[in-house]
mmCIF file of all heavy atoms in Angstrom:
data_model
loop_
_atom_site.group_PDB
_atom_site.id
_atom_site.type_symbol
_atom_site.label_atom_id
_atom_site.label_comp_id
_atom_site.label_asym_id
_atom_site.label_seq_id
_atom_site.Cartn_x
_atom_site.Cartn_y
_atom_site.Cartn_z
ATOM 1 N N GLU A 1 104.009 77.019 34.384
ATOM 2 C CA GLU A 1 104.711 77.174 33.114
ATOM 3 C C GLU A 1 104.989 78.633 32.780
ATOM 4 O O GLU A 1 105.776 78.923 31.883
ATOM 5 C CB GLU A 1 103.899 76.536 31.977
ATOM 6 C CG GLU A 1 102.535 77.160 31.736
ATOM 7 C CD GLU A 1 101.452 76.604 32.643
ATOM 8 O OE1 GLU A 1 101.789 75.856 33.592
ATOM 9 O OE2 GLU A 1 100.270 76.902 32.398
ATOM 10 N N ALA A 2 104.357 79.561 33.466
ATOM 11 C CA ALA A 2 104.569 80.989 33.219
ATOM 12 C C ALA A 2 105.374 81.592 34.360
ATOM 13 O O ALA A 2 104.887 82.412 35.128
ATOM 14 C CB ALA A 2 103.229 81.706 33.073
ATOM 15 N N TRP A 3 106.654 81.150 34.496
ATOM 16 C CA TRP A 3 107.536 81.656 35.540
ATOM 17 C C TRP A 3 106.948 81.450 36.935
ATOM 18 O O TRP A 3 107.120 82.256 37.829
ATOM 19 C CB TRP A 3 107.850 83.141 35.345
ATOM 20 C CG TRP A 3 108.837 83.407 34.257
ATOM 21 C CD1 TRP A 3 109.489 82.497 33.482
ATOM 22 C CD2 TRP A 3 109.306 84.692 33.827
ATOM 23 N NE1 TRP A 3 110.327 83.118 32.597
ATOM 24 C CE2 TRP A 3 110.232 84.482 32.772
ATOM 25 C CE3 TRP A 3 109.025 85.994 34.212
ATOM 26 C CZ2 TRP A 3 110.876 85.516 32.124
ATOM 27 C CZ3 TRP A 3 109.660 87.037 33.564
ATOM 28 C CH2 TRP A 3 110.580 86.798 32.533
ATOM 29 N N LYS A 4 106.216 80.352 37.090
ATOM 30 C CA LYS A 4 105.578 80.050 38.376
ATOM 31 C C LYS A 4 104.705 81.218 38.851
ATOM 32 O O LYS A 4 104.712 81.592 40.038
ATOM 33 C CB LYS A 4 106.609 79.674 39.425
ATOM 34 C CG LYS A 4 107.390 78.408 39.091
ATOM 35 C CD LYS A 4 108.296 78.009 40.225
ATOM 36 C CE LYS A 4 109.095 76.757 39.876
ATOM 37 N NZ LYS A 4 108.254 75.584 39.687
ATOM 38 N N LEU A 5 103.961 81.764 37.944
ATOM 39 C CA LEU A 5 103.083 82.891 38.272
ATOM 40 C C LEU A 5 102.000 82.456 39.247
ATOM 41 O O LEU A 5 101.374 81.402 39.088
ATOM 42 C CB LEU A 5 102.435 83.427 36.996
ATOM 43 C CG LEU A 5 101.342 84.489 37.185
ATOM 44 C CD1 LEU A 5 101.926 85.769 37.760
ATOM 45 C CD2 LEU A 5 100.625 84.759 35.863
ATOM 46 N N LYS A 6 101.796 83.273 40.263
ATOM 47 C CA LYS A 6 100.721 83.039 41.228
ATOM 48 C C LYS A 6 100.025 84.364 41.513
ATOM 49 O O LYS A 6 100.675 85.368 41.823
ATOM 50 C CB LYS A 6 101.264 82.460 42.523
ATOM 51 C CG LYS A 6 100.174 82.170 43.566
ATOM 52 C CD LYS A 6 100.764 81.766 44.896
ATOM 53 C CE LYS A 6 101.457 80.442 44.808
ATOM 54 N NZ LYS A 6 101.968 79.997 46.124
ATOM 55 N N VAL A 7 98.714 84.360 41.386
ATOM 56 C CA VAL A 7 97.908 85.557 41.634
ATOM 57 C C VAL A 7 96.852 85.214 42.675
ATOM 58 O O VAL A 7 96.102 84.246 42.515
ATOM 59 C CB VAL A 7 97.238 86.068 40.343
ATOM 60 C CG1 VAL A 7 96.416 87.317 40.644
ATOM 61 C CG2 VAL A 7 98.295 86.366 39.276
ATOM 62 N N SER A 8 96.807 85.987 43.747
ATOM 63 C CA SER A 8 95.835 85.786 44.825
ATOM 64 C C SER A 8 95.078 87.083 45.040
ATOM 65 O O SER A 8 95.687 88.161 45.122
ATOM 66 C CB SER A 8 96.526 85.368 46.125
ATOM 67 O OG SER A 8 97.360 84.245 45.921
ATOM 68 N N GLY A 9 93.773 86.992 45.137
ATOM 69 C CA GLY A 9 92.955 88.181 45.370
ATOM 70 C C GLY A 9 91.700 87.830 46.141
ATOM 71 O O GLY A 9 91.132 86.740 45.957
ATOM 72 N N GLY A 10 91.287 88.728 47.034
ATOM 73 C CA GLY A 10 90.109 88.431 47.834
ATOM 74 C C GLY A 10 89.462 89.660 48.421
ATOM 75 O O GLY A 10 89.982 90.776 48.351
ATOM 76 N N VAL A 11 88.295 89.421 49.010
ATOM 77 C CA VAL A 11 87.522 90.448 49.706
ATOM 78 C C VAL A 11 87.459 90.059 51.170
ATOM 79 O O VAL A 11 87.196 88.889 51.501
ATOM 80 C CB VAL A 11 86.108 90.567 49.107
ATOM 81 C CG1 VAL A 11 85.291 91.602 49.878
ATOM 82 C CG2 VAL A 11 86.174 90.937 47.638
ATOM 83 N N PHE A 12 87.679 91.054 52.068
ATOM 84 C CA PHE A 12 87.807 90.756 53.482
ATOM 85 C C PHE A 12 86.930 91.686 54.315
ATOM 86 O O PHE A 12 86.599 92.793 53.891
ATOM 87 C CB PHE A 12 89.274 90.899 53.919
ATOM 88 C CG PHE A 12 90.191 89.953 53.214
ATOM 89 C CD1 PHE A 12 90.768 90.310 52.000
ATOM 90 C CD2 PHE A 12 90.455 88.703 53.727
ATOM 91 C CE1 PHE A 12 91.603 89.440 51.335
ATOM 92 C CE2 PHE A 12 91.285 87.822 53.075
ATOM 93 C CZ PHE A 12 91.860 88.184 51.870
ATOM 94 N N GLN A 13 86.607 91.197 55.492
ATOM 95 C CA GLN A 13 85.775 91.958 56.420
ATOM 96 C C GLN A 13 86.462 93.255 56.821
ATOM 97 O O GLN A 13 87.660 93.291 57.089
ATOM 98 C CB GLN A 13 85.492 91.107 57.653
ATOM 99 C CG GLN A 13 84.447 91.692 58.595
ATOM 100 C CD GLN A 13 84.177 90.759 59.756
ATOM 101 O OE1 GLN A 13 85.081 90.431 60.505
ATOM 102 N NE2 GLN A 13 82.942 90.336 59.902
ATOM 103 N N GLY A 14 85.685 94.343 56.868
ATOM 104 C CA GLY A 14 86.237 95.637 57.239
ATOM 105 C C GLY A 14 86.563 95.741 58.719
ATOM 106 O O GLY A 14 86.192 94.884 59.533
ATOM 107 N N THR A 15 87.254 96.813 59.079
ATOM 108 C CA THR A 15 87.684 97.024 60.456
ATOM 109 C C THR A 15 86.530 97.546 61.311
ATOM 110 O O THR A 15 85.740 98.382 60.877
ATOM 111 C CB THR A 15 88.848 98.022 60.492
ATOM 112 O OG1 THR A 15 89.907 97.530 59.664
ATOM 113 C CG2 THR A 15 89.361 98.213 61.908
ATOM 114 N N LYS A 16 86.486 97.060 62.536
ATOM 115 C CA LYS A 16 85.451 97.495 63.476
ATOM 116 C C LYS A 16 85.955 98.674 64.294
ATOM 117 O O LYS A 16 87.058 98.628 64.863
ATOM 118 C CB LYS A 16 85.080 96.337 64.406
ATOM 119 C CG LYS A 16 83.908 96.634 65.333
ATOM 120 C CD LYS A 16 83.557 95.403 66.147
ATOM 121 C CE LYS A 16 82.378 95.659 67.053
ATOM 122 N NZ LYS A 16 82.022 94.456 67.857
ATOM 123 N N ASP A 17 85.160 99.734 64.361
ATOM 124 C CA ASP A 17 85.528 100.926 65.121
ATOM 125 C C ASP A 17 85.405 100.638 66.619
ATOM 126 O O ASP A 17 84.364 100.180 67.092
ATOM 127 C CB ASP A 17 84.631 102.096 64.730
ATOM 128 C CG ASP A 17 85.116 103.402 65.338
ATOM 129 O OD1 ASP A 17 84.873 103.633 66.539
ATOM 130 O OD2 ASP A 17 85.741 104.200 64.604
ATOM 131 N N ASP A 18 86.483 100.873 67.361
ATOM 132 C CA ASP A 18 86.483 100.564 68.792
ATOM 133 C C ASP A 18 85.524 101.450 69.579
ATOM 134 O O ASP A 18 84.979 101.024 70.611
ATOM 135 C CB ASP A 18 87.896 100.717 69.360
ATOM 136 C CG ASP A 18 88.856 99.691 68.777
ATOM 137 O OD1 ASP A 18 88.397 98.610 68.366
ATOM 138 O OD2 ASP A 18 90.074 99.987 68.723
ATOM 139 N N ASP A 19 85.294 102.689 69.123
ATOM 140 C CA ASP A 19 84.435 103.621 69.870
ATOM 141 C C ASP A 19 82.956 103.385 69.591
ATOM 142 O O ASP A 19 82.147 103.298 70.515
ATOM 143 C CB ASP A 19 84.816 105.057 69.524
ATOM 144 C CG ASP A 19 86.245 105.382 69.930
ATOM 145 O OD1 ASP A 19 86.712 104.798 70.935
ATOM 146 O OD2 ASP A 19 86.888 106.195 69.236
ATOM 147 N N THR A 20 82.600 103.280 68.314
ATOM 148 C CA THR A 20 81.186 103.148 67.948
ATOM 149 C C THR A 20 80.726 101.696 67.824
ATOM 150 O O THR A 20 79.531 101.419 67.886
ATOM 151 C CB THR A 20 80.923 103.861 66.613
ATOM 152 O OG1 THR A 20 81.677 103.213 65.576
ATOM 153 C CG2 THR A 20 81.349 105.323 66.695
ATOM 154 N N GLY A 21 81.667 100.784 67.630
ATOM 155 C CA GLY A 21 81.298 99.383 67.440
ATOM 156 C C GLY A 21 80.776 99.089 66.045
ATOM 157 O O GLY A 21 80.339 97.966 65.781
ATOM 158 N N ILE A 22 80.829 100.066 65.153
ATOM 159 C CA ILE A 22 80.343 99.882 63.781
ATOM 160 C C ILE A 22 81.496 99.370 62.913
ATOM 161 O O ILE A 22 82.606 99.893 62.972
ATOM 162 C CB ILE A 22 79.793 101.209 63.218
ATOM 163 C CG1 ILE A 22 78.622 101.698 64.076
ATOM 164 C CG2 ILE A 22 79.362 101.037 61.769
ATOM 165 C CD1 ILE A 22 78.098 103.060 63.667
ATOM 166 N N ARG A 23 81.200 98.368 62.107
ATOM 167 C CA ARG A 23 82.216 97.793 61.233
ATOM 168 C C ARG A 23 82.176 98.467 59.871
ATOM 169 O O ARG A 23 81.100 98.668 59.292
ATOM 170 C CB ARG A 23 82.008 96.286 61.077
ATOM 171 C CG ARG A 23 83.168 95.582 60.391
ATOM 172 C CD ARG A 23 82.975 94.080 60.427
ATOM 173 N NE ARG A 23 83.023 93.548 61.769
ATOM 174 C CZ ARG A 23 84.128 93.274 62.446
ATOM 175 N NH1 ARG A 23 85.313 93.537 61.877
ATOM 176 N NH2 ARG A 23 84.080 92.772 63.659
ATOM 177 N N ALA A 24 83.343 98.832 59.363
ATOM 178 C CA ALA A 24 83.432 99.474 58.052
ATOM 179 C C ALA A 24 83.126 98.469 56.948
ATOM 180 O O ALA A 24 83.079 97.256 57.159
ATOM 181 C CB ALA A 24 84.828 100.070 57.863
ATOM 182 N N SER A 25 82.940 98.983 55.742
ATOM 183 C CA SER A 25 82.656 98.113 54.606
ATOM 184 C C SER A 25 83.882 97.278 54.240
ATOM 185 O O SER A 25 84.978 97.475 54.781
ATOM 186 C CB SER A 25 82.209 98.943 53.406
ATOM 187 O OG SER A 25 83.245 99.828 53.002
ATOM 188 N N GLU A 26 83.715 96.376 53.294
ATOM 189 C CA GLU A 26 84.735 95.372 53.001
ATOM 190 C C GLU A 26 86.018 95.983 52.420
ATOM 191 O O GLU A 26 85.991 96.981 51.712
ATOM 192 C CB GLU A 26 84.192 94.323 52.029
ATOM 193 C CG GLU A 26 83.159 93.389 52.620
ATOM 194 C CD GLU A 26 81.795 94.038 52.775
ATOM 195 O OE1 GLU A 26 81.602 95.123 52.179
ATOM 196 O OE2 GLU A 26 80.941 93.488 53.496
ATOM 197 N N ASP A 27 87.128 95.315 52.759
ATOM 198 C CA ASP A 27 88.432 95.641 52.185
ATOM 199 C C ASP A 27 88.727 94.672 51.037
ATOM 200 O O ASP A 27 88.096 93.622 50.896
ATOM 201 C CB ASP A 27 89.530 95.524 53.242
ATOM 202 C CG ASP A 27 89.311 96.461 54.423
ATOM 203 O OD1 ASP A 27 88.446 97.351 54.316
ATOM 204 O OD2 ASP A 27 90.005 96.285 55.440
ATOM 205 N N ALA A 28 89.729 95.005 50.237
ATOM 206 C CA ALA A 28 90.149 94.146 49.128
ATOM 207 C C ALA A 28 91.663 94.097 49.070
ATOM 208 O O ALA A 28 92.348 95.075 49.402
ATOM 209 C CB ALA A 28 89.581 94.644 47.798
#
């Protein structure tokens, strides 16, 4: 009813460093 408003938001797994193998903190 509000101009077909749609809002999507989430938290996602961070990127893994190819050299160290350590994964960064979460993205949004």
Side-chain angles (χ1 to χ4, degrees):
E1 62 275 10
W3 284 358
K4 297 186 181 296
L5 172 66
K6 181 187 293 183
V7 180
S8 307
V11 178
F12 298 88
Q13 190 177 59
T15 303
K16 186 176 181 180
D17 189 282
D18 294 334
D19 298 329
T20 64
I22 299 175
R23 191 173 294 278
S25 62
E26 289 76 14
D27 300 348

